[in-house]
Amino acid sequence: MAKQVARREFLKRVGVGTGAAALFGSGTAMAQTHDHTASSPRQQEIDWEAMDHHHEMGIQTFLDNIDQDDNYWRQPLEYTLDGDTKVFELTCNNIEWETEPGKAFPAYAYNGMIPGPEIRVTEGERVRILVHNEMNQSTAVHWHGIDVPNDQDGVPFITQPVIKPGETYTYEFIAANAGSHMYHSHHNSLEQVVGGLLGAFIIEPASQRDEPVVDQDYTLILNDTFLGFTLNGKSFPYTQPLKAKLGERIRIRYMNEGLMEHPMHLHGMPMRVIAKDGYNLPAPYLCDTVAISPGERYDVLVEARAPGIWAFHCHVLSHAENRNGMFGMVTVLIVEE
Ligand SMILES: [Cu+2]
């Protein structure tokens, strides 16, 4: 009997049947997500004019919101120097996060934002990161993709004690391998990572010899489930466009911190995939859709050769559009003449 109860409780906690909201003890998470679960086209009566209007309003909201979110493209986190060591500070908090105005979710955040601030250093530099835990539960930080010594790997009870509420823990290592990496919680990680404790950790190569020259460098962090379908913590129409001038070359670093695969599809121009998980590919390849699985990173180059506003979205369409219009993992690439 006790076993059955435990199993039921477990299923409830992992979100089976009752929805993911159970994890946060709140009904808001599921109640406020869009109706993206419909599994087949519905052929019943439809007010097509109202539907078209909703779609158009979403696009208008997106256009009106361009450049209205100064922190959508994360700025590198500031640091202090202790000798040659770059010292960063991350503070973990329980917060309410809005993926769009009026749509707030109980969440966790580094330095008050989801994704957390970008950490950007150069290959070979020594970094120290002070992690202050101001949440109501323990945590730990894993440096995903970075070649750290075992005791800096951030896995509680294997390589370190948990960082309890109120405690500060210090990580220190050399940023050994260049590439697009991530940092995120490695404790109660289903809730903590997908719930917001995630960020980009970019290590630029010490030598620029093998680096592509680019005019813009964008990072797009994908997330799903508890906070809905988001690109850099926001869902369409509150995502921001990527921008390029005709003839420019942009780099996009995709990072997936969610639980699902997201094939990101760019209209109008191909993407050249140059790196996977921070490692440069021996033979870059062209494509128009890049499927990014949980934990993966892909770096791509786009030659902005066609002017216009080009749709750019996850091609699992239930992550991107429904009868009310586009939502979730949708943005655009604007190529200006
Ligand atoms: Cu998707």
Side-chain angles (χ1 to χ4, degrees), residues 261-262 314 316 319 329:
E261 184 176 71
H262 301 290
C314 175
V316 176
H319 304 173
M329 297 175 144

Side-chain angles (χ1 to χ4, degrees), residues 49 253 318:
E49 286 176 307
R253 303 170 192 262
S318 54

Side-chain angles (χ1 to χ4, degrees), residues 44-250:
Q44 72 271 32
E45 277 300 301
I46 184 163
D47 183 344
W48 60 270
E49 286 176 307
M51 182 174 79
D52 294 352
H53 180 70
H54 273 124
H55 281 245
E56 188 176 4
M57 288 301 99
I59 302 296
Q60 196 55 54
T61 301
F62 176 80
L63 295 173
D64 290 345
N65 190 55
I66 290 177
D67 295 335
Q68 301 302 306
D69 184 349
D70 291 342
N71 197 35
Y72 185 80
W73 306 109
R74 295 285 184 270
Q75 296 304 304
L77 181 59
E78 291 189 4
Y79 55 86
T80 57
L81 278 175
D82 178 10
D84 289 337
T85 304
K86 288 186 171 176
V87 182
F88 298 90
E89 299 204 34
L90 294 173
T91 301
C92 315
N93 275 107
N94 297 76
I95 64 160
E96 291 264 313
W97 180 252
E98 284 193 332
T99 58
E100 55 188 84
K103 188 175 283 186
F105 296 92
Y108 312 99
Y110 293 119
N111 296 8
M113 61 186 88
I114 301 172
E118 177 188 285
I119 297 176
R120 188 179 280 252
V121 297
T122 301
E123 181 185 0
E125 287 182 327
R126 177 170 281 277
V127 298
R128 181 183 304 148
I129 301 122
L130 309 181
V131 179
H132 310 288
N133 182 7
E134 296 182 359
M135 302 190 298
N136 62 3
Q137 59 180 281
S138 302
T139 193
V141 184
H142 170 59
W143 315 99
H144 185 105
I146 304 175
D147 297 345
V148 297
N150 183 245
D151 63 0
Q152 301 302 301
D153 197 39
V155 183
F157 309 115
I158 294 182
T159 65
Q160 66 164 86
V162 285
I163 312 171
K164 294 175 182 165
E167 288 184 346
T168 291
Y169 192 86
T170 302
Y171 295 91
E172 188 163 330
F173 51 85
I174 289 169
N177 54 319
S180 300
H181 307 302
M182 307 190 287
Y183 65 98
H184 53 222
S185 168
H186 212 289
H187 188 60
N188 189 17
S189 55
L190 171 59
E191 283 184 53
Q192 290 191 10
V193 178
V194 184
L197 292 180
L198 57 100
F201 196 127
I202 294 167
I203 304 178
E204 294 177 346
S207 163
Q208 296 297 310
R209 195 166 13 112
D210 299 323
E211 269 300 269
V213 176
V214 297
D215 299 291
Q216 318 280 346
D217 186 347
Y218 289 106
T219 298
L220 273 179
I221 302 186
L222 320 175
N223 195 14
D224 52 53
T225 310
F226 304 133
L227 311 182
F229 295 104
T230 57
L231 300 174
N232 287 2
K234 298 290 176 183
S235 47
F236 186 90
Y238 291 91
T239 51
Q240 290 292 318
L242 291 78
K243 292 181 187 173
K245 293 193 177 65
L246 189 62
E248 281 188 341
R249 174 195 266 179
I250 65 170

Side-chain angles (χ1 to χ4, degrees), residues 73 212-220 240-254 266-267 269-274 286 298-306 308 310 312 331-336:
W73 306 109
V213 176
V214 297
D215 299 291
Q216 318 280 346
D217 186 347
Y218 289 106
T219 298
L220 273 179
Q240 290 292 318
L242 291 78
K243 292 181 187 173
K245 293 193 177 65
L246 189 62
E248 281 188 341
R249 174 195 266 179
I250 65 170
R251 177 186 193 134
I252 305 166
R253 303 170 192 262
Y254 296 106
L266 174 63
H267 293 210
M269 284 149 281
M271 302 182 272
R272 182 179 299 276
V273 183
I274 58 166
L286 287 170
Y298 283 92
D299 289 20
V300 306
L301 300 179
V302 176
E303 312 288 343
R305 64 190 191 198
W310 297 101
F312 185 17
T331 183
V332 300
L333 168 62
I334 300 176
V335 180
E336 295 164 322

